Amino acid sequence: MIRRAALLAAAAMLAPLPLAAQDAAPAPATTATPLPSAHGYQPQDELERGLWYEMAEQERLLRQSHFLVDDPALNAYVRGVLCRTVGAERCAATRLYLVRTPFFNASMAPNGAMIVNTGLLLRMRDEAQLAAVLGHEFTHFEQQHSLRLFRNMRTKTDILSIFSLAPIPYAAGMVGQIAILSSVFGFNREMEREADAGSIAELARAGYDPTAASTIWQQLGDEMDATAAERRHRSRRNSNGGLFATHPRTTERMETLAALATQAAASAGAAERRAAEYRSNLHAWWPQLIDDQVRLADFGGTEYLLSTLAGPEPDGWTADLLYARGELYRDRGREGDFASAATFYRQAIDQGGGPEESWRGYGLALLRQGHAAEGRAALRTYLQLKPQAHDAAMLGAMAAEPVT
Amino acid sequence: MKRWMTAAMAAMLALGMAAPAHAQFGAGEASAVREDFVLPQGEVRILVFRPEIRVGAQTMGGMHEPNAEWTETAKGNIMAALEAEQAARGTSLVIVPELDGEQGELVADYTALFQTVAGEAFQHKLFPGNRLPSKRHDFDWTLGAETEQLRALGGDYGLFLVTNDSYGSTGRKVLQVLGAVAGVGLVPSGVHMGYAGLVDLRTGHLVWLNGDLQMGGDVRTAEGAQKRVAQLLEEFPLRATGQPAPERAREVTVTGETPAEPKP
């Protein structure tokens, strides 16, 4: 979020609408004007042209960002899910950017540029959840929420500026100003609710399980609790942020989405989750995603996140997740953590199908415990499996038998 | 995440309504030339990095509303004025083209680095308020000698420009008058700021920097853009010995293409 904030700070006013913190207007557009998702759509007025122009500049910078994930396979997969969710024709109006940022968020600009953080990919359990997020962002785009938000803010700040001059009693003036200011944020929350509702409709139409959307907020809320408990401060889960919250509170979103999903499920046919497809498409990126997450030094939140992804069943702990847990414990390195880490890596290796990096972590954890010979052997196994590893030279030195 | 967004939006509202940039830095303009720096005699080729030009309207409430047409017009006007101005100084401008791949990233990286370094120089030396004691005497910022790689684009110096204009809308001007009448003090109308800098690509040194938070010249017109460019290039480094420019035709080239016809 911070990095994205920096990236787009220059266009703060035009910042794309992010998923986890923001915005809808009264009823969806009812006029006969074309939707932005229509083929060949062009901005309809001076303001929209201006916003598109500005966003095109920002997009230009984004394309050259070092945080952009340029792996064609991962891009093709996420784009494929978007197109499956909203249909090929509407999908053609968007451009998707995957940004390497270890936080849960996605955003949508008025000109069709969609940004998805890698931290979001880590947190999705299946393809249906990813589709729910993409459908939510797409609704922001199609319903022109950025444009409507800008107009709304323009009108209200105009009124505020008059207020600041009007000779009215100070207290009354303050109350009026706060009312208008908070109505900007209220408008924002309305648009978020509209996008949430839109995502359910898209899921049902595409044959994804519409209940996927509410489980995302359940997971996110629980993760916030876990992080807060670890850091000994109040969870932000149930805070509604008061008058100036940009998004509806998490618990409310969850309940509303669940209710909408129940209605949608009644009429929908197929309700796929596609968890296996999701995991296999993320496989190559898994060690990287875990590495970025572990570096946040949020042990409680990460531990919770991993156990959520594993689910209640013992066999939910896949090799990918066991590897991740090993990385987490090895990174913390408190009393007993290296032993726990070595156990998790060993389980990942025995189960098979996880990242080869399990051998690397296993070896390093054993070395830290003082099991020198086994540790060196594990590192050598890793180097046989991955001779091109970026840290092969260093690991090679560590794996060599000492000269006697 | 919610907090960030809330804070950002509140800040945008507050900033838009109250504080133009000069409230932060104090009014006026500032420029500096690295000690003893002069441009050499003979041919001087300057790479012009894609200028960052933003033009829009300031709404009654103080928000910046981007305007695509004004921005396009301003870009053309400013580039034309810049070419004329530099031709008069006897330097050749080389426009850095749109590049893909590694070279594109290199250009983007250095453009961003320049803006960061220039921002530091403005904040800690040129504008009062945050001046660093260690920078009191010297103007010695640098982008590092690896700027040498950029010379492959066809120039020995890099020129960077940033302008940001928000023209007061009718509503804003009415508010300004009302503010004066009501006696609540000055309601600022319009934001017009810009800065430019020159980097010696052999050393990476920032050799000249000039900024103004209340610039003149309406960049939406050719004449206004000439005035703006003249202001942006105030205190531009002189040629060695201050001799008049050599008498020869000037040219403007775009790398990757054949040189343009010399201007008459």
Side-chain angles (χ1 to χ4, degrees):
Chain A
M1 200 62 203
I2 306 286
R3 280 182 195 139
R4 206 181 58 80
L7 188 68
L8 296 173
M13 200 54 254
L14 317 165
L17 296 176
L19 173 73
Q22 222 115 349
D23 31 302
T30 48
T31 49
T33 50
L35 293 172
S37 54
H39 177 70
Y41 175 86
Q42 286 299 315
Q44 301 291 302
D45 64 6
E46 202 171 51
L47 172 60
E48 198 176 7
R49 270 194 296 279
L51 291 174
W52 277 47
Y53 192 91
E54 184 66 40
M55 283 319 303
E57 285 290 302
Q58 296 304 317
E59 212 178 321
R60 215 182 138 271
L61 293 175
L62 182 60
R63 274 196 295 270
Q64 279 158 339
S65 166
H66 293 277
F67 290 104
L68 204 63
V69 172
D70 51 12
D71 174 22
L74 190 64
N75 276 282
Y77 174 65
V78 178
R79 182 160 189 88
V81 175
L82 172 64
C83 292
R84 184 184 150 119
T85 309
V86 304
E89 197 179 326
R90 292 154 85 209
C91 166
T94 64
R95 293 167 306 288
L96 178 78
Y97 298 95
L98 299 179
V99 177
R100 200 178 140 195
T101 304
F103 298 104
F104 173 93
N105 224 337
S107 61
M108 186 82 220
N111 66 345
M114 185 187 281
I115 296 174
V116 174
N117 285 356
T118 50
L120 187 145
L121 297 179
L122 175 66
R123 282 164 176 78
M124 299 294 99
R125 272 193 224 171
D126 49 45
E127 205 175 291
Q129 287 197 336
L130 176 62
V133 170
L134 300 178
H136 172 103
E137 295 304 323
F138 189 86
T139 307
H140 278 319
F141 164 61
E142 197 166 55
Q143 298 299 330
Q144 299 184 299
H145 286 166
S146 291
L147 188 64
R148 283 154 62 189
L149 180 64
F150 192 100
R151 288 208 185 99
N152 181 280
M153 287 183 80
R154 184 173 62 186
T155 306
K156 285 171 180 165
T157 53
D158 282 359
I159 298 169
L160 276 178
S161 65
I162 292 289
F163 257 95
S164 69
L165 297 185
I168 44 179
Y170 181 75
M174 280 300 285
V175 169
Q177 292 198 20
I178 290 169
I180 291 171
L181 211 54
S182 64
S183 75
V184 171
F185 291 98
F187 183 78
N188 211 13
R189 290 195 296 274
E190 275 311 307
M191 290 199 287
E192 280 307 320
R193 292 195 182 98
E194 192 175 306
D196 277 350
S199 72
I200 296 286
E202 303 291 349
L203 286 176
R205 192 166 42 238
Y208 284 118
D209 180 357
T211 60
S214 67
T215 55
I216 296 173
W217 299 108
Q218 169 86 49
Q219 284 160 225
L220 189 67
D222 291 350
E223 190 185 330
M224 283 175 180
D225 287 351
T227 301
E230 169 94 0
R231 295 185 175 166
R232 298 197 179 84
H233 57 60
R234 238 179 82 227
S235 174
R236 287 160 52 203
R237 171 181 211 162
N238 289 319
S239 85
N240 65 10
L243 288 174
F244 302 125
T246 57
H247 283 53
R249 58 184 192 167
T250 299
T251 41
E252 179 204 314
R253 286 180 91 166
M254 205 176 82
E255 286 156 14
T256 312
L257 283 167
L260 286 170
T262 314
Q263 294 163 20
S267 57
E272 290 190 85
R273 298 299 290 244
R274 292 173 64 86
E277 285 86 348
Y278 186 72
R279 295 253 71 87
S280 75
N281 276 287
L282 280 182
H283 182 78
W285 272 84
W286 191 253
Q288 185 70 70
L289 298 181
I290 291 301
D291 197 36
D292 290 349
Q293 170 67 26
V294 166
R295 281 174 198 217
L296 294 177
D298 175 11
F299 186 88
T302 307
E303 177 82 326
Y304 178 80
L305 169 66
L306 296 177
S307 61
T308 317
L309 291 170
E313 305 300 324
D315 61 1
W317 282 96
T318 60
D320 278 347
L321 293 170
L322 287 164
Y323 160 77
R325 208 166 175 203
E327 291 285 284
L328 181 65
Y329 276 78
R330 186 169 66 84
D331 180 76
R332 188 172 69 162
R334 287 200 194 150
E335 179 83 39
D337 280 351
F338 291 116
S340 308
T343 310
F344 297 135
Y345 289 125
R346 185 72 244 178
Q347 288 170 351
I349 291 164
D350 292 343
Q351 204 175 110
E356 284 127 2
E357 281 76 5
S358 299
W359 281 104
R360 177 182 181 279
Y362 186 49
L364 293 172
L366 287 173
L367 286 177
R368 290 297 295 265
Q369 286 177 272
H371 304 313
E374 298 96 317
R376 287 196 293 264
L379 289 183
R380 284 197 295 274
T381 308
Y382 172 62
L383 290 172
Q384 278 163 19
L385 291 167
K386 232 175 173 177
Q388 303 302 322
H390 68 91
D391 51 0
M394 188 190 75
L395 293 177
M398 294 173 79
E401 293 299 330
V403 183
T404 50
Chain B
M1 283 177 276
K2 287 184 185 171
R3 278 180 198 165
W4 172 79
M5 205 19 95
T6 310
M9 296 189 86
M12 280 169 343
L13 287 170
L15 276 176
M17 281 180 290
H22 48 81
Q24 185 186 354
F25 290 119
E29 52 187 309
S31 63
V33 178
R34 196 180 171 94
E35 195 180 2
D36 297 335
F37 178 82
V38 284
L39 287 166
Q41 286 186 296
E43 192 187 25
V44 171
R45 291 164 69 86
I46 296 179
L47 281 171
V48 182
F49 288 80
R50 192 174 197 273
E52 185 180 308
I53 296 169
R54 274 205 179 80
V55 190
Q58 188 179 38
T59 69
M60 192 172 175
M63 282 167 63
H64 174 76
E65 185 175 320
N67 187 302
E69 192 191 327
W70 292 353
T71 308
E72 270 302 303
T73 309
K75 279 182 181 171
N77 287 342
I78 287 175
M79 288 310 281
L82 182 66
E83 282 165 13
E85 206 274 354
Q86 286 291 306
R89 288 173 189 268
T91 51
S92 309
L93 294 184
V94 181
I95 314 293
V96 176
E98 295 278 319
L99 297 163
D100 290 326
E102 273 180 35
Q103 270 201 315
E105 274 182 21
L106 190 70
V107 168
D109 284 352
Y110 272 106
T111 306
L113 182 60
F114 165 78
Q115 291 187 6
T116 304
V117 172
E120 292 294 305
F122 279 125
Q123 186 176 6
H124 295 306
K125 170 130 184 124
L126 296 180
F127 287 109
N130 262 322
R131 283 176 172 153
L132 285 175
S134 58
K135 291 289 185 189
R136 188 176 300 153
H137 302 295
D138 302 323
F139 179 75
D140 57 356
W141 275 268
T142 183
L143 308 191
E146 286 176 27
T147 50
E148 170 75 25
Q149 320 165 59
L150 293 167
R151 289 178 66 211
L153 296 171
D156 299 322
Y157 300 90
L159 179 63
F160 298 86
L161 296 176
V162 174
T163 66
N164 212 326
D165 286 272
S166 202
Y167 288 91
S169 62
T170 310
R172 187 69 178 179
K173 285 171 184 156
V174 168
L175 188 74
Q176 191 175 28
V177 173
L178 285 178
V181 171
V184 294
L186 182 69
V187 177
S189 176
V191 173
H192 306 283
M193 55 169 295
Y195 66 92
L198 189 71
V199 173
D200 184 340
L201 299 178
R202 290 187 193 85
T203 59
H205 294 334
L206 181 60
V207 293
W208 163 79
L209 187 63
N210 177 51
D212 192 336
L213 300 164
Q214 286 159 299
M215 301 206 80
D218 187 338
V219 292
R220 297 168 297 181
T221 66
E223 305 75 46
Q226 283 163 16
K227 185 178 169 195
R228 170 66 56 91
V229 167
Q231 282 188 6
L232 276 172
L233 298 184
E234 269 171 17
E235 315 290 329
F236 193 80
L238 297 171
R239 290 296 194 107
T241 73
Q243 299 267 325
E247 291 293 319
R248 60 174 192 82
R250 313 297 161 221
E251 57 188 48
V252 172
T253 53
V254 175
T255 52
E257 294 175 15
T258 49
E261 290 294 308
K263 287 190 177 172

